[in-house]
Amino acid sequence: MKLGVHALMLNGLTPERAVSMVSQSGYQGIEWGIRDDQQDPPARLKAAFRDNQCVQPPTAQFADSIHQLCRQQRLAIPSLYSHMRANDIANTQTALVFGQRIKAPCVRVNTGSWNENYESSFNAAKRYLTTVVALSRAYGVRCLVENMPGTLFASPSQLAKLVSHFDPQHIGVVLDVGNLVVEGHESYSLALDMLKPYLTIVHLKNAVFERGSGFEWKTYWATLKKGIADIPTFMRALQAIEYDGWLIVEDLSPQTTHLSLQNNYVYLQQLLK
């Protein structure tokens, strides 16, 4: 398995500084991000988007800059994180053009939230991905769907049901173990067994629950070691299915980026032995 870093944990850094720090910490790649400035991030990610120069609008200048920086440091770009309007074909095409320009093999796409009706929401996502497959063929970039809290596809089983209608050559899956804490948790082994033909990227982050002033429980991002997700068990489950793809660290806990990069690299190297 190869270790990479997600752009959302590089806020406060210029792309130049981010590339240098990631390389020096021992990682092999960066999952850069693009955003639509008219699309607000979810509340749980607002801090990560704040002052984040590694997630920018999809300009040619940004694409050429990060591609060149990664070439200079011999870092791969395993995937592109796209925070664009959901179920929007024009925005999806923009993301694929950007992904093609930076030579990313895959791009995350957004199937959106559900509209209070299961069947219509599922069918809308299926129609969207049907069109996305044609774009994937045209641009030579694989499109990935992620288990996202607040959507119909927060759980691995629902995600598996959706992607099973498509060729894994064009549609793949990002499995985020930290998102499973927020919503959609299922047995790691079962989840990986269902998603195995489509599993392309794994995101590693963690979270904890804390009770507010009333009866409501809220999730907060934690370090990989201290959150609710059992990272060692998850890693063993990945090894059991002989997963050899990318592990993208997306640690959004409140610690310095430099410390987070170093601590997570050492921790994951220990688990990979």
Side-chain angles (χ1 to χ4, degrees), residues 137-148:
R137 290 195 187 102
Y139 289 98
V141 179
R142 195 178 187 197
C143 294
L144 308 181
V145 187
E146 182 176 354
N147 60 303
M148 292 293 293

Side-chain angles (χ1 to χ4, degrees), residues 70 80 85 158 209:
C70 284
L80 174 69
R85 284 191 296 275
Q158 284 298 314
F209 279 97

Side-chain angles (χ1 to χ4, degrees), residues 206-269:
N206 217 329
V208 294
F209 279 97
E210 292 183 10
R211 200 163 201 167
S213 55
F215 292 99
E216 183 181 2
W217 288 88
K218 295 183 178 181
T219 50
Y220 297 90
W221 300 123
T223 64
L224 293 189
K225 280 186 177 183
K226 294 185 178 180
I228 292 173
D230 186 343
I231 302 299
T233 297
F234 181 68
M235 295 290 287
R236 288 193 293 272
L238 285 171
Q239 291 167 333
I241 66 164
E242 299 181 338
Y243 176 74
D244 62 355
W246 282 91
L247 302 173
I248 304 296
V249 178
E250 192 186 355
D251 186 342
L252 303 179
S253 62
Q255 60 180 329
T256 67
T257 303
H258 186 253
L259 184 62
S260 178
L261 288 172
Q262 289 186 326
N263 288 346
N264 286 315
Y265 184 81
V266 172
Y267 180 52
L268 291 172
Q269 287 295 331

Side-chain angles (χ1 to χ4, degrees), residues 108-126:
R108 194 201 78 155
V109 298
N110 189 352
T111 56
S113 58
W114 64 297
N115 64 9
E116 305 299 329
N117 181 279
Y118 175 83
E119 185 176 1
S120 66
S121 297
F122 186 92
N123 288 336
K126 188 177 171 183

Side-chain angles (χ1 to χ4, degrees), residues 53-215:
Q53 298 180 54
C54 297
V55 183
Q56 295 191 23
T59 64
Q61 181 180 1
F62 181 49
D64 294 343
S65 172
I66 60 177
H67 181 249
Q68 183 63 22
L69 286 169
C70 284
R71 282 189 63 187
Q72 290 170 353
Q73 290 286 351
R74 297 183 180 178
L75 289 173
I77 303 178
S79 183
L80 174 69
Y81 168 75
S82 171
H83 182 74
M84 311 286 276
R85 284 191 296 275
N87 291 352
D88 188 307
I89 294 302
N91 272 302
T92 302
Q93 188 168 13
T94 297
L96 291 176
V97 169
F98 189 96
Q100 186 184 59
R101 190 168 186 126
I102 64 173
K103 295 182 170 51
C106 43
V107 170
R108 194 201 78 155
V109 298
N110 189 352
T111 56
S113 58
W114 64 297
N115 64 9
E116 305 299 329
N117 181 279
Y118 175 83
E119 185 176 1
S120 66
S121 297
F122 186 92
N123 288 336
K126 188 177 171 183
R127 287 193 301 271
Y128 167 68
L129 288 186
T130 299
T131 305
V132 165
V133 166
L135 293 176
S136 172
R137 290 195 187 102
Y139 289 98
V141 179
R142 195 178 187 197
C143 294
L144 308 181
V145 187
E146 182 176 354
N147 60 303
M148 292 293 293
T151 73
L152 191 63
F153 308 105
S155 70
S157 56
Q158 284 298 314
L159 200 54
K161 181 179 178 181
L162 174 66
V163 299
S164 68
H165 294 277
F166 302 98
D167 185 340
Q169 182 179 349
H170 301 295
I171 299 295
V173 162
V174 177
L175 182 61
D176 188 311
V177 68
N179 284 349
L180 292 177
V181 174
V182 181
E183 183 182 358
H185 175 76
E186 293 174 325
S187 158
Y188 297 145
S189 296
L190 175 62
L192 293 171
D193 187 52
M194 288 187 288
L195 296 172
K196 183 178 178 180
Y198 296 89
L199 186 62
T200 310
I201 299 283
V202 168
H203 283 177
L204 297 176
K205 63 174 178 277
N206 217 329
V208 294
F209 279 97
E210 292 183 10
R211 200 163 201 167
S213 55
F215 292 99

